[in-house]
Amino acid sequence: MGKSRTKRFKRPQFSPTGDCQAEAAAAANGTEREEDDGPAAELLEKLQHPSAEVRECACAGLARLVQQRPVLPALARRDAVRRLGPLLLDPSLAVRETAAGALRNLSACGGFEVCDDMVTKDIMTPLVALLKECSAGLDSNEMSPQEKKEQNRNSIENIANEAVNVLWNICECSSRAVSIFNKEGCLEIVLKYLSRFSTNVDLAISVAYCLQTVTEDNAELLKSFCAPALHVLESAMLSPVSSMEYILLKTLIAGTIWNLKDIIPSKSQAEIINAILKILSDVLEMDAGETVIRMKEAETQRLKTAAETEDALQSANGDDLIEDEEMEEIPHRRKVRRKTFTSDLLPPTDKELREAIALLTAQQTALEIIVNMCCSEDPTDDEWEELSSSDESDAFMEGSFSECGGQLLSPLCLSHEVHTALTNHLLPKKIFEKTAFPNSIAVDMCSRNPTWKPLIRKMNTVQCRALVCLQSLVSLLDVDHLGGPAALQTLAQHLSQLLFSQPDFAKHVDFLEAISSALRALLQTMASKNISQCMTPDQLMTLCKAGIHSSNVGVRVNVVSILGITGSILAKEDGTLETLKTIGCFLLEVATKDPCLVVAGEALDALFDVFADGKEAERASIQIKLLSALKEFQPVFKMKIRKEGRAKYSPDQLCVLDNVKMNLRRFVAYQETVEKRLTT
């Protein structure tokens, strides 16, 4: 029913200790409500214990427990949020950190309902107070000696990191939390944390995620971004460090700056667009598969070396370790403490795994930013102010953010400058490359290691995001910007090969929705430019028969639309009668039997396109008895819209369905004239 519109991507939520998959395991164990209350009640009771160590252990236990979704109702019944909230300001720094970690996991795994309930139970009051205390603590120079001061500073930064993640998760789910963020001056606090990106990139990344969330569609907050605040973002985005984690940080900051487009000074606009797209281009240019392989091999070698070193030290310990009383006789020998071997030799985190995850996350984020740049939910986004060549000459590095008091442009959206920047940075080509299946060697390596196995899903997600991004670019850019007709035909062949190289493609719903969306947009563009298509009728029907049984409405809408696009082209060619009959019967069955009116409406729309014109189409319509079928279905369709419309569908969908209903009446009248002419 018209051209497809790419959905905008929202920021994903993150759990520090897992992906919240424990729900399935808990459900499989058949955990009852009373049994869930047992550990929850015990841990919550210990939160009030006079010993800080007991309180810390209780918070850590809750951090693990909340990842089991079946226990969330028990925690809600026992008012876990109100019990954990005060511990954010506990005298013990360790308790503060673990309490924030428990709330972080609760907000990440509980979803919108839990986060909204957390705001209702006033979690924002102690959370904002904690963020302010951490900010003040990082500025304090009262502690001594230096070693203790540094240790305390690290603890404060760790607490801040957990707290910022709680803030991010809640703001992602609650507009009330965003409003509190604005009113309480949280922007200044988190920007102070971000300014420490050179010494604590983990904290900076957490802040960047949070900023990308709170700056989206938040006109009130934009007023708070003065020149110093923007310079903090600029410094982080232009950091020369090239580790994977810094690449992720710069990508997230690029997304935040795009959200601030309404306040960017006119003279800096073109340069900032280029700076953002340069970062995204550099991220997508990296070969994630090769990076995963390299990082996994580096980890294997590191662990092997560590094990060999430990064995050597153990041997030395066996020969040289002397009882304490003998130590006095041989003072030049140092006593080896066996218990410290492992912690001394192995890092506290899997650094190679973290690097690989950071790159994959950066690539996924970059693709999502490009999709969001291509999409617009604001009607004013279609009104672009063209940039003059003099504007483009302003150097981004020379005070691009220093003119906030000057004249601002109307809201940005994709203009000629962005089109040019996209193609100058070869983004269509790089996005095309990311649509390929993940590196098979990398997938095999990850599949054989439990800690690396989740990266397979992340690699598949990057591919799906690339396909959605490709859909946006194909719908938006001119054919010349995409490489010309030959490039589009090559792209169509590539997508067909991707699709049909997987015999079980229908089982992978995310992939099927992404690739069918890309194919739909591509075929629409090719049809509008009279570029010949390369999918055979057999391939077309294989895709449609598999896709129409998908539980995903988007997949069903896409395959029906693809059939309509291709059928409308075949209707104008000779020798296509049998194919048109097959297409017509298929679309009729979908229109009359699919339970979703949106899919049924798309199928009717496709029928209108296929049988609107052409001798072969007219003959096919008579032979499949299209007119009688539509006459019979017409009152049924009207009744379904009247009965189900307001309860199941949005106002926009109802508007489109009303148009389909009106077009159905007109199409039936047209088919009556066709049938009279051909049968008399």
Side-chain angles (χ1 to χ4, degrees), residues 624-642:
I624 66 172
K625 299 180 180 178
L626 179 62
L627 178 60
S628 60
L630 291 178
K631 277 186 172 181
E632 183 180 346
F633 179 63
Q634 194 171 8
V636 176
F637 187 64
K638 289 181 181 178
M639 180 191 67
K640 282 188 174 182
I641 293 176
R642 189 168 58 252

Side-chain angles (χ1 to χ4, degrees), residues 645-658:
R646 295 192 178 184
K648 292 185 178 181
Y649 304 100
S650 68
D652 287 344
Q653 289 173 325
L654 285 175
C655 181
V656 174
L657 288 171
D658 281 339

Side-chain angles (χ1 to χ4, degrees), residues 586-594 599-600 603-604 607 633 637:
F586 182 90
L587 291 174
L588 263 178
E589 184 172 4
V590 174
T592 55
K593 294 183 179 179
D594 195 290
V599 180
L604 288 170
L607 280 169
F633 179 63
F637 187 64

Side-chain angles (χ1 to χ4, degrees), residues 537 540 565-574 576 579-580 583 616:
L540 184 69
I565 295 166
T566 305
S568 64
I569 295 172
L570 294 174
K572 299 176 178 62
E573 299 177 0
D574 295 330
T576 57
T579 302
L580 290 172
I583 290 174
E616 295 285 68

Side-chain angles (χ1 to χ4, degrees), residues 485-507:
L488 294 187
Q489 289 176 322
T490 300
L491 179 56
Q493 290 173 346
H494 168 71
L495 295 179
S496 298
Q497 289 169 357
L498 280 180
L499 185 63
F500 297 110
S501 64
Q502 301 293 306
D504 59 344
F505 67 82
K507 297 179 182 178

Side-chain angles (χ1 to χ4, degrees), residues 383-401:
E383 301 169 4
W384 265 81
E385 183 168 334
E386 293 295 330
L387 303 177
S388 67
S389 58
S390 60
D391 290 335
E392 295 178 11
S393 66
D394 295 328
F396 178 68
M397 297 290 289
E398 297 176 359
S400 59
F401 289 132

